[in-house]
Amino acid sequence: MKQPPLTIPSAVEVQSAETQTLANGVTLHLLPTDDFEVVRVTFVFRAGSAVQQVPFSASTTANLLAEGTQRYTAHEIAEQLDFYGSWFDVNLDRDFAYISFATLSKFCRQTLGLAEEILLHPTFPEEELRTYCAKRRQRLRIDRQKVDVKAREAFAEALFGPQHPYGISYDETLYDKLTRADVEAFYRTRYTAANCFVVCSGRIDDDVRATVAAIAAQLPDGPMYIPEFPTPVTRPETRIAHPGAVQSSLRIGRLLFDRRHPDFVGMQVLATVLGGYFGSRLMRNLREEHGYTYGVVAAMVNFDREGYLAIATQVGTEATAAAVEAIRTEIERLRTEPVTEEELSLVKKIMAGEMMRILDGPFGIADVTIENILCGRDNDVIDENLARIQAMTPADIRRLAQRYLAPDDLVTVVVGAE
């Protein structure tokens, strides 16, 4: 048998969403296709943890939406979703809450009926609230005994400062002080038309369009809430003792810029060279050559208003200092030595292949569409980004490394045994 030829696309054509703006200002973005008998609807609200005024109110509100409504109990909602084989999902990041409903197209009307109840008529029962808070407090307390969780929170604080909405970590005992009134207030002020857009993908007929529009049209009026953020206060080094730890968790990186910046895609290529795939430079150095770790990753992280480069790994405590030095050595190599054309070509193929994987199917296209909307772009930007990736040269990588990865600009966090 002969292996089929490897084809790297030079362009990507992704359908642009059909856009409709409702009377209350909510925009619907529709991605119809008849290739799959499924429908997914995602309601995106500016209701992430960075816009909360009471600790944990954002995540609690999102996760309690389906725990009781004016018509149904939490058990009844779960039973109906299960009966229709439908899927309900809540995702939350620092800036946004993503409330998704997915279903076979033949059960779309029933599932969207539940969506209407969950989104528009939640009751946040006191008993469900207290149960949720108790579980989350216990889980967070346990998680914070792990070095990687400590390192993740410490790295966010080191990049942004302890009072910045992107850097703050709240004591888990504050779950005990969260009240139903706090949750209702967050829901009332954040789950509004001005803070929402909707992306619908799959087999969308006229009935689906009308039903989704009818739900979104009922979202109440209210001002768009965009809080004032303080200027980030970066701390170059943090070391936290974790007695008894057999591994140290390392984070190295720096505050940079969000996805709208012209160098963001280039820095994604640089991060992939450094630690974005199994054969990357950091993997070869830390894992294959020295056996410090099972895995290490480098990536650009994007928030609504900020972005940063992060390198993360866990190593044996005895190898902590050597691993930090090895990471800094690989960063310095990018600043002083051009990558080879062969290595850069491989990275471009990997990134193009990952792009194709993500865009395989209506739900993947919907996810990318959401990202692009949040950046103020249409899906045409996908083809632009692929062209930028393909145009990167070794000189570009070196230029970016010299500009953005000077040793004194790097932030280092180490959590482990002393």
Side-chain angles (χ1 to χ4, degrees):
M1 295 179 63
K2 293 182 64 177
Q3 177 179 323
L6 179 64
T7 302
I8 304 300
S10 58
V12 180
E13 293 186 7
V14 179
Q15 70 181 117
S16 294
E18 303 172 16
T19 302
Q20 174 185 356
T21 301
L22 304 179
N24 63 352
V26 175
T27 54
L28 305 184
H29 304 267
L30 306 172
L31 296 158
T33 176
D34 290 330
D35 295 339
F36 304 89
E37 295 184 7
V38 292
V39 174
R40 194 188 82 178
V41 186
T42 300
F43 294 80
V44 182
F45 294 93
R46 186 177 290 276
S49 60
V51 302
Q52 67 188 7
Q53 294 177 318
V54 178
F56 304 122
S57 58
S59 58
T60 303
T61 301
N63 285 292
L64 288 184
L65 287 172
E67 296 302 311
T69 70
Q70 292 179 7
R71 292 181 59 193
Y72 302 116
T73 65
H75 180 71
E76 289 170 336
I77 291 172
E79 268 194 338
Q80 290 194 52
L81 289 170
D82 186 58
F83 179 79
Y84 294 116
S86 300
W87 173 64
F88 168 66
D89 185 56
V90 172
N91 276 308
L92 195 81
D93 60 25
R94 293 289 193 180
D95 300 292
F96 299 95
Y98 309 84
I99 315 299
S100 296
F101 303 86
T103 179
L104 292 172
S105 51
K106 63 182 177 180
F107 296 131
C108 193
R109 176 175 287 277
Q110 295 90 333
T111 302
L112 289 177
L114 289 170
E116 182 175 358
E117 276 291 308
I118 291 168
L119 287 169
L120 300 176
H121 307 295
T123 55
F124 308 111
E126 181 69 29
E127 182 179 357
E128 298 289 353
L129 171 62
R130 298 274 58 94
T131 299
Y132 171 84
C133 287
K135 288 181 178 178
R136 292 297 302 180
R137 173 185 172 176
Q138 177 70 358
R139 184 184 302 175
L140 186 54
R141 186 185 68 81
I142 294 171
D143 285 346
R144 283 177 169 167
Q145 296 173 14
K146 304 172 184 176
V147 291
D148 62 321
V149 174
K150 280 188 175 181
R152 184 180 69 242
E153 293 186 342
F155 189 59
E157 181 179 318
L159 288 175
F160 297 104
Q163 301 306 315
H164 193 284
Y166 290 160
I168 194 168
S169 296
Y170 296 106
D171 191 289
E172 62 266 22
T173 59
L174 292 178
Y175 270 115
D176 295 338
K177 297 182 179 181
L178 187 65
T179 68
R180 184 168 176 269
D182 294 328
V183 174
E184 288 183 322
F186 187 85
Y187 170 78
R188 186 172 59 254
T189 56
R190 306 297 183 265
Y191 285 75
T192 62
N195 292 301
C196 178
F197 67 86
V198 184
V199 175
C200 182
S201 61
R203 185 165 290 185
I204 304 171
D205 58 21
D206 290 342
D207 187 49
V208 171
R209 292 169 185 259
T211 304
V212 173
I215 296 171
Q218 296 178 65
L219 288 169
D221 293 331
M224 180 180 293
Y225 185 77
I226 302 179
E228 294 293 330
F229 283 6
T231 301
V233 179
T234 299
R235 185 171 61 244
E237 184 167 331
T238 302
R239 292 183 179 268
I240 300 175
H242 190 98
V246 297
Q247 286 188 316
S248 295
S249 186
L250 314 180
R251 296 290 189 279
I252 295 177
R254 66 157 299 185
L255 189 64
L256 286 170
F257 33 70
D258 64 29
R259 193 181 296 273
R260 304 172 187 87
H261 193 280
D263 281 337
F264 188 90
V265 172
M267 286 300 295
Q268 283 185 306
V269 178
L270 185 153
T272 305
V273 171
L274 188 59
Y277 65 106
F278 190 77
S280 68
R281 293 187 170 198
L282 289 175
M283 284 291 284
R284 291 199 303 269
N285 189 322
L286 272 68
R287 176 187 165 114
E288 297 177 18
E289 294 178 17
H290 293 103
Y292 295 151
T293 184
Y294 285 108
V296 57
V297 65
M300 287 292 292
V301 179
N302 177 61
F303 290 152
D304 184 45
R305 303 202 214 172
E306 301 284 357
Y308 59 90
L309 173 72
I311 299 164
T313 189
Q314 288 185 208
V315 303
T317 53
E318 72 286 351
T320 301
V324 171
E325 183 60 29
I327 292 170
R328 286 182 168 266
T329 296
E330 292 298 341
I331 293 173
E332 190 61 24
R333 280 185 61 207
L334 289 175
R335 288 168 45 81
T336 57
E337 304 171 11
V339 301
T340 65
E341 291 284 359
E342 181 181 11
E343 181 181 11
L344 186 55
S345 176
L346 174 61
V347 166
K348 291 177 181 180
K349 292 174 183 176
I350 289 170
M351 295 184 73
E354 178 64 10
M355 190 178 293
M356 296 301 99
R357 184 192 66 80
I358 293 172
L359 293 170
D360 183 20
F363 296 173
I365 294 173
D367 288 335
V368 173
T369 300
I370 290 171
E371 286 189 26
N372 293 336
I373 293 169
L374 293 176
C375 293
R377 296 299 304 271
D378 189 81
N379 282 347
D380 290 344
V381 75
I382 298 169
D383 198 33
E384 292 179 23
N385 288 341
L386 180 60
R388 290 179 184 176
I389 291 169
Q390 300 293 7
M392 289 290 292
T393 67
D396 292 330
I397 298 293
R398 188 176 179 183
R399 173 184 61 81
L400 291 172
Q402 290 176 340
R403 182 172 185 179
Y404 296 120
L405 299 183
D408 291 344
D409 292 332
L410 298 177
V411 171
T412 301
V413 170
V414 178
V415 178
E418 293 182 319

